[in-house]
Amino acid sequence: MKKLYGTGVALVTPFKKDGKIDFNGLEKLVKYVVNNNVDYLVALGTTAETATLKKEEKWDVVKCIQRVNYKKLPLILGLGGNNTENVIKEINSIKNLSDFYAILSVSPYYNNPSQEGIYQHFKSIVDQTGSDIILYNVPKRTGSNIMPDTVLRLAYNFKNIIGVKEASGDVLQSYKILENKPQDFSVISGDDFITLPVVLGGGEGVISVIAQGFPDQISNMVSLARDNNIKKAFSIFYNILDIIDLIYEEGNPTGIKTLLDIIGICNSYVRLPLLMGTPYLRKKMLLLLKKIKSI
């Protein structure tokens, strides 16, 4: 399987004021990122508020993304959980698995499994589905960290485990994987703040939240880093660093949805237990956007 390089976008799920999915907003968002040089799309990740979507809603979201994308860019499907048997059933229920480049599967949350438990979880998924899996490590949400040794063990033992979205926020952890991984295993930054160190250390790119607000800039930044044009890559990063910081100030996707509302892509509505961005956040964002230089 060919590797995914560059910038992937962790798409939000736009909502209307009444809480229903805003498919017009989703269509506008997909067109915006596809037409502004991103490399692939990620549906139903954490940023999509997947935890609050009903089963039918999830597939309506995926179908909408597929229709608008029309096979222009590879599509990764977020599908994971803390019940191994259910994850396997869900993957096996997908009729057209070939429509997706890979499944992005989060480490089991809340159960707080041991490293061996995490290993056995992903082993069972691969053994019983045959899907290509990208591990998703996001300890601040799951409560447990997939340690580099566990990632490497999975990478070497299963050819269908093709990469890791590393969102621990610890660049050293990414480097330990990069130093020792199989050649065809992808290390993808799952954290906008450490995209450049991960790419410069040998990573393939990023699955980004901010890229749906600045698709062209983030794609350009990652391409420059991969071409070793470090100074120019960092000039883009520093130009939007404060806004990256701001989109996480009131949580994700509250911040990015506030930004997308400001730039006219979709509304900023979220579902409980999340709350919409405060007027204070919006005001700070508007001030920062005025300061950002055109790149």
Side-chain angles (χ1 to χ4, degrees):
M1 178 179 265
K2 195 179 167 192
K3 275 191 183 184
L4 277 180
Y5 289 103
T7 301
V9 181
L11 295 163
V12 302
T13 305
F15 296 118
K16 298 175 184 173
K17 192 173 184 179
D18 63 4
K20 290 178 180 166
I21 295 168
D22 175 12
F23 289 104
N24 289 335
L26 182 57
E27 188 170 319
K28 198 170 180 183
L29 175 62
V30 174
K31 282 180 180 171
Y32 179 58
V33 297
V34 167
N35 293 333
N36 280 282
N37 301 316
V38 304
D39 299 291
Y40 58 98
L41 307 174
V42 179
L44 303 184
T46 310
T47 304
E49 294 174 74
T50 309
T52 62
L53 293 176
K54 299 180 187 78
K55 196 173 180 180
E56 317 84 70
E57 287 180 322
K58 288 178 188 177
W59 286 108
D60 288 342
V61 165
V62 171
K63 281 177 203 159
C64 177
I65 295 167
Q66 285 178 306
R67 178 177 55 78
V68 181
N69 179 46
Y70 198 64
K71 298 188 178 178
K72 290 188 192 84
L73 299 179
L75 181 61
I76 288 176
L77 179 66
L79 209 164
N82 59 352
N83 181 328
T84 309
E85 189 182 338
N86 278 0
V87 175
I88 291 163
K89 276 182 185 167
E90 264 198 275
I91 294 172
N92 285 332
S93 73
I94 300 168
K95 288 179 185 132
N96 298 318
L97 202 55
S98 61
D99 289 350
F100 305 103
Y101 182 92
I103 301 288
L104 178 68
S105 199
V106 71
S107 180
Y109 42 84
Y110 189 72
N111 317 48
N112 202 10
S114 65
Q115 292 302 301
E116 185 61 28
I118 293 169
Y119 177 87
Q120 292 298 334
H121 169 80
F122 285 112
K123 178 184 186 296
S124 296
I125 291 171
V126 173
D127 283 347
Q128 295 178 59
T129 67
S131 298
D132 288 319
I133 302 290
I134 297 171
L135 310 171
Y136 180 17
N137 185 36
V138 57
K140 63 189 171 202
R141 287 190 183 269
T142 63
S144 62
N145 187 12
I146 316 179
M147 300 305 290
D149 285 350
T150 305
V151 173
L152 293 167
R153 192 177 158 209
L154 287 162
Y156 276 102
N157 289 354
F158 305 101
K159 65 177 175 56
N160 284 53
I161 295 181
I162 62 169
V164 61
K165 178 186 175 186
E166 178 42 64
S168 65
D170 181 353
V171 74
L172 184 59
Q173 181 155 312
S174 296
Y175 287 159
K176 284 177 181 174
I177 300 166
L178 283 162
E179 183 188 9
N180 298 295
K181 71 180 185 69
Q183 194 178 346
D184 56 356
F185 183 82
S186 298
V187 178
I188 301 161
S189 174
D191 188 326
D192 283 308
F193 289 110
I194 60 169
T195 298
L196 288 178
V198 170
V199 172
L200 293 169
E204 271 64 44
V206 63
I207 292 175
S208 171
V209 174
I210 193 69
Q212 54 209 311
F214 296 95
D216 198 40
Q217 290 92 327
I218 298 297
S219 299
N220 190 21
M221 179 188 85
V222 172
S223 294
L224 287 163
R226 293 193 63 244
D227 290 340
N228 234 16
N229 194 335
I230 298 166
K231 195 172 178 183
K232 202 162 182 187
F234 269 103
S235 74
I236 295 172
F237 176 69
Y238 289 134
N239 192 29
I240 56 174
L241 174 59
D242 288 344
I243 203 112
I244 296 173
D245 202 15
L246 198 56
I247 67 161
Y248 294 105
E249 193 170 286
E250 293 183 7
N252 181 41
T254 293
I256 188 62
K257 280 190 163 182
T258 305
L259 176 62
L260 290 169
D261 188 21
I262 288 168
I263 65 174
I265 303 295
C266 64
N267 289 316
S268 60
Y269 300 115
V270 292
R271 282 182 175 174
L272 284 169
L274 298 181
L275 295 174
M276 278 174 67
T278 60
Y280 180 62
L281 179 71
R282 181 177 287 263
K283 188 178 176 184
K284 284 208 288 186
M285 218 169 257
L286 283 162
L287 285 169
L288 273 180
L289 284 168
K290 283 178 189 170
K291 290 181 188 173
I292 289 173
K293 305 177 197 109
S294 57
I295 303 165

